[in-house]
Amino acid sequence: MTVILGQTFTGISIGAVLLLIALGLSLTFGQMNVINMAHGEFIMAGAYTTYVLQKSIAGAGISLLVALPVAFLVSGALGALLEWLLIRRLYLRPLDTLLVTWGVSLMLQQLARDVFGAPNVQTRAPDILTGNITLIGGDDPLTVANSRLFILGLAVAAVVVLSLTLRLTPLGRRIRAVVQNRDLAEVSGISTSTVDRTAFFIGSGLAGVAGVALTLVGPIGPTMGTNVIIDAFLVIVVGGIGQLKGTVIVAFVLGVLQSVLEYSTTVSVAKVLVLVGIVAFLQWRPQGLYTLRTRSLV
Amino acid sequence: MNLLKGPSARTAAGFAGSAVLLFALAPLLLSDFRLGLLAKYLCIAMVAVGVCLAWGRGGLLTLGQGVFFGLGGYAMAMHLKIADAGPGNLPDFMQLYGTATELPWWWQPFANPLFALAATVLLPMAVAALLGSFIFRRRVKGAYFAILSQALAAAFAIWLIGQQATTGGTNGLTDIQGFFGYDLDDPVNQRMVYFIIAAALLLLIALARQLIHSRYGELLVAVRDSEERVRFLGYDPANVKLVAYVVAAGMAGLAGALFVPAVGIISPALIGIVPSIEFVIGAAVGGRASLVGAVLGAVAVAWAKTALSEEFPGAWTYFQGLLFIVALAFLPGGLASLAGIVRRRRAAAEKKAAVIPVGEAA
């Protein structure tokens, strides 16, 4: 029984990481229909920010707390810059954004290699996050790493803040207006280009926060973005366009599915099975779990 | 010349010119080593022919061509490994791990050369048909198709790495000695492999050209530009897309199969996410919608990669990234469209020059 519970909890913590990574994407891809392959490198930027801060600030706990907002700003600024330089020319050609941003991601990876070196680096987790919490005691205990719980909390907090921002603030209203009807938003006096850039800033900034979280569970390296980005894209594809709800549910479902399948088969077979499951799921709901209903034909 | 119908004189001249270049000039002018490299580039160009068809013409951005390239490559390599080992023996890497006492069941059919040869093309086509029919029928398209195809490439590479004992894992299938009874170490036989590859490439280009200039080709472009209108006309866009995807997969499979004797290895690193995107970059730089552009672009980019990454590995990555950005953001038609742009500019300028005197006369 605890084995199943343990696998489920591992799955939930995989899901929390996936969710953090996919959250920013759900803004830039789900809402703005831009496939930003450099999103993975923005995650990497967040992770390296944590690394640099820990080198310069003594105390792992304080540096982690400082890293969260700083990584948000660093990655967000990178995202806004990318939007201004390239993506705004490509809003009508979404497929091309995929390849153009892949070019950007290649260059950022190489930049990381040149600045920080090709080998992976590591940060030290604060003492409070290194231990385990025992959820079920006894002969067959179920323990959970504190860092995993912290990531889960971070993911939940990020979802709440983002969804409140989208729902309640004037900025969120403007973003939703642009997503639903760009032309009408423009004639209503909303500067769509400013909204685009702001949304990109927030989405990319969330990638930076995900990068901070990833430093707690793995090494930091130039290719760390590539390794996680595809799973995150799959979450959005399955979750449905522009729907935070879908992203949240699917991230956890895929995380648990991956973890349970890994337990009963192997890591590599689990990856294949998850993909088969996704294609099968799309037969049932081609538009994803949740979707913004419109009357457009496409 | 039925094969080359269309604006035929120029096309025929183009084909004759390419044939002379590939079959006479290149073997004369290049060293054995350079010719081997060219063979490798031509394999990548074969994949680009399919990319031109599926993406340039059909708008299907497939980022998983590595899967089909790999299926073809592994099918060929498995047969060659079995043949190298000789009857009754296990391929060397299986003996090394010592876990297998006999060939795994799914290796056994590949002992038959005809089966293996057919599989190099039919296996990728079957996988593409299965996946494509699932995806296109439910109208999953655009970015979603691209992401799914990319996820497929990632999953396939990870799966291959995971099956260490039967697929060679990260190393892949290496050290292939013979090619249907011919010793691959012999430069004469290497040259033959080059000629086979060059002939296959010309054949694929002719096939793709024929498809593009047929009624089907027009339908494919129509589906790319407005799927709904094609549907309203009574066609099923899913079938149209499926054909392009399956043909492109078969081309990539053949390319992978011929890549194995040319290079002597197939491994997950050659077919994962990164190589899958690299198959697209050449076509994008040369011009995705133009066959000639895609092929020349693929060869040029592959050549640039070898030339630059030998000397400055870091610089190549920056250059590759820049190529993508410049080609796609600022020159979406690729280099092939450059001639047209220059011609139009010049025509416009001449028109202006011609108009002004008339205006003065009036």
Side-chain angles (χ1 to χ4, degrees):
Chain A
M1 191 57 204
T2 34
V3 169
I4 298 173
L5 272 179
Q7 283 303 315
T8 311
F9 200 87
T10 311
I12 290 175
S13 75
I14 295 177
V17 175
L18 263 183
L19 178 58
L20 261 182
I21 296 165
L23 206 55
L25 271 183
S26 84
L27 209 60
T28 54
F29 176 45
Q31 311 259 359
M32 321 202 23
N33 210 9
V34 167
I35 309 137
N36 180 15
M37 292 295 281
H39 194 82
E41 279 57 46
F42 295 164
I43 294 172
M44 175 191 82
Y48 276 115
T49 304
T50 319
Y51 172 72
V52 170
L53 282 174
Q54 195 169 86
K55 287 260 157 187
S56 42
I57 305 176
I62 298 166
S63 69
L64 187 72
L65 282 184
V66 176
L68 284 171
V70 173
F72 182 86
L73 290 178
V74 168
S75 297
L78 279 175
L81 187 69
L82 177 70
E83 200 274 348
W84 178 68
L85 277 176
L86 289 172
I87 290 173
R88 68 190 165 116
R89 300 165 209 276
L90 296 168
Y91 278 116
L92 294 176
R93 295 189 277 143
L95 276 185
D96 287 357
T97 60
L98 194 162
L99 294 167
V100 168
T101 52
W102 194 72
V104 174
S105 105
L106 274 181
M107 296 172 79
L108 287 177
Q109 276 179 34
Q110 189 58 37
L111 191 67
R113 229 170 264 134
D114 288 347
V115 174
F116 296 101
N120 289 338
V121 295
Q122 204 105 35
T123 55
R124 214 158 30 82
D127 294 338
I128 193 169
L129 294 183
T130 46
N132 290 308
I133 284 185
T134 310
L135 289 187
I136 302 175
D139 302 335
D140 195 10
L142 174 63
T143 60
V144 175
N146 287 348
S147 58
R148 294 276 179 179
L149 276 182
F150 174 76
I151 292 175
L152 185 58
L154 196 61
V156 170
V159 170
V160 169
V161 170
L162 181 62
S163 85
L164 288 183
T165 307
L166 283 178
R167 206 168 293 180
L168 300 179
T169 63
L171 172 68
R173 273 197 296 279
R174 285 201 294 273
I175 292 178
R176 281 184 293 138
V178 171
V179 169
Q180 286 181 11
N181 193 327
R182 181 170 285 269
D183 294 339
L184 201 54
E186 183 80 52
V187 296
S188 311
I190 297 173
S191 163
T192 51
S193 59
T194 310
V195 170
D196 287 342
R197 201 152 312 143
T198 316
F200 228 85
F201 177 80
I202 298 174
S204 308
L206 286 170
V209 173
V212 178
L214 281 184
T215 61
L216 293 172
V217 290
I220 305 162
T223 56
M224 65 184 290
T226 327
N227 298 336
V228 295
I229 192 73
I230 291 188
D231 288 342
F233 270 119
L234 287 177
V235 168
I236 310 288
V237 168
V238 178
I241 270 213
Q243 293 292 308
L244 277 184
K245 200 164 39 172
T247 309
V248 173
I249 295 173
V250 171
F252 285 119
V253 169
L254 283 189
V256 172
L257 198 65
Q258 175 82 25
S259 153
V260 169
L261 286 173
E262 266 175 32
Y263 180 72
S264 35
T265 57
T266 62
V267 178
S268 58
V269 174
K271 281 258 179 224
V272 178
L273 286 179
V274 166
L275 184 66
V276 170
I278 287 171
V279 173
F281 173 82
L282 290 177
Q283 298 303 300
W284 176 49
R285 284 190 95 93
Q287 308 302 332
L289 191 56
Y290 291 99
T291 172
L292 211 62
R293 278 178 226 292
T294 69
R295 294 192 179 202
S296 84
L297 274 170
V298 281
Chain B
M1 293 307 273
N2 188 30
L3 194 68
L4 306 173
K5 76 178 177 199
S8 54
R10 254 180 62 194
T11 311
F15 261 92
S18 326
V20 170
L21 199 68
L22 284 177
F23 286 99
L25 285 182
L28 265 180
L29 296 178
L30 297 177
S31 67
D32 283 337
F33 173 70
R34 292 278 158 201
L35 200 66
L37 281 182
L38 183 60
K40 187 173 144 188
Y41 304 157
L42 295 185
C43 287
I44 296 169
M46 275 191 237
V47 184
V49 173
V51 170
C52 171
L53 199 67
W55 180 40
R57 293 279 153 172
L60 305 167
L61 177 53
T62 152
L63 297 177
Q65 289 306 90
V67 174
F68 308 124
F69 186 83
L71 284 170
Y74 270 90
M76 176 65 93
M78 279 158 73
H79 172 69
L80 297 183
K81 285 308 276 183
I82 295 172
D84 278 352
N89 290 332
L90 284 178
D92 47 8
F93 74 92
M94 286 188 191
Q95 292 171 10
L96 192 69
Y97 297 117
T99 44
T101 46
E102 60 173 4
L103 274 183
W105 62 268
W106 53 277
W107 270 69
Q108 282 169 8
F110 290 94
N112 181 330
L114 287 180
F115 177 89
L117 272 182
T120 58
V121 180
L122 295 182
L123 200 61
M125 289 174 96
V127 171
L130 192 71
L131 189 77
S133 62
F134 273 120
I135 291 180
F136 300 138
R137 283 211 196 293
R138 297 303 292 171
R139 302 189 195 175
V140 173
K141 57 187 162 193
Y144 298 93
F145 170 73
I147 289 165
L148 283 175
S149 67
Q150 186 166 42
L152 182 71
F156 185 52
I158 291 171
W159 179 79
L160 280 171
I161 292 170
Q163 313 302 308
Q164 179 88 23
T166 48
T167 63
T170 320
N171 298 333
L173 301 178
T174 55
D175 199 22
I176 283 154
Q177 310 280 339
F179 185 59
F180 296 100
Y182 294 94
D183 179 13
L184 282 174
D185 277 342
D186 189 342
V188 176
N189 291 338
Q190 270 300 339
R191 207 160 262 240
M192 282 316 296
V193 169
Y194 165 80
F195 283 125
I196 294 173
I197 290 172
L201 176 63
L202 284 182
L203 196 76
L204 291 192
I205 293 175
L207 178 74
R209 213 198 107 78
Q210 195 67 1
L211 267 178
I212 285 172
H213 289 275
S214 70
R215 188 186 167 80
Y216 168 77
E218 286 177 10
L219 210 51
L220 186 62
V221 174
V223 168
R224 176 191 71 190
D225 291 343
S226 176
E227 189 167 334
E228 286 307 323
R229 291 184 195 176
V230 175
R231 201 189 311 280
F232 292 153
L233 287 174
Y235 295 97
D236 185 356
N239 287 339
V240 178
K241 291 200 247 183
L242 192 61
V243 171
Y245 187 47
V246 168
V247 170
M251 289 177 171
L254 183 63
L258 292 174
F259 184 85
V260 167
V263 180
I265 177 174
I266 185 87
S267 76
L270 292 165
I271 65 186
I273 299 175
V274 174
S276 290
I277 295 191
E278 281 177 352
F279 285 133
V280 172
I281 185 179
V285 169
R288 65 186 90 159
S290 147
L291 270 176
V292 180
V295 166
L296 290 182
V299 173
V301 170
W303 170 78
K305 183 180 180 179
T306 316
L308 273 175
S309 57
E310 273 168 9
E311 302 255 339
F312 331 91
W316 161 248
T317 316
Y318 287 122
F319 181 70
Q320 192 185 18
L322 260 185
L323 256 184
F324 249 80
I325 295 166
V326 171
L328 285 151
F330 302 105
L331 201 63
L335 293 177
S337 68
L338 213 52
I341 293 173
V342 170
R343 206 179 311 141
R344 270 195 299 283
R345 286 252 168 92
R346 194 177 298 156
E350 274 167 14
K351 214 171 172 187
K352 226 182 202 170
V355 164
I356 291 164
V358 174
E360 281 170 348

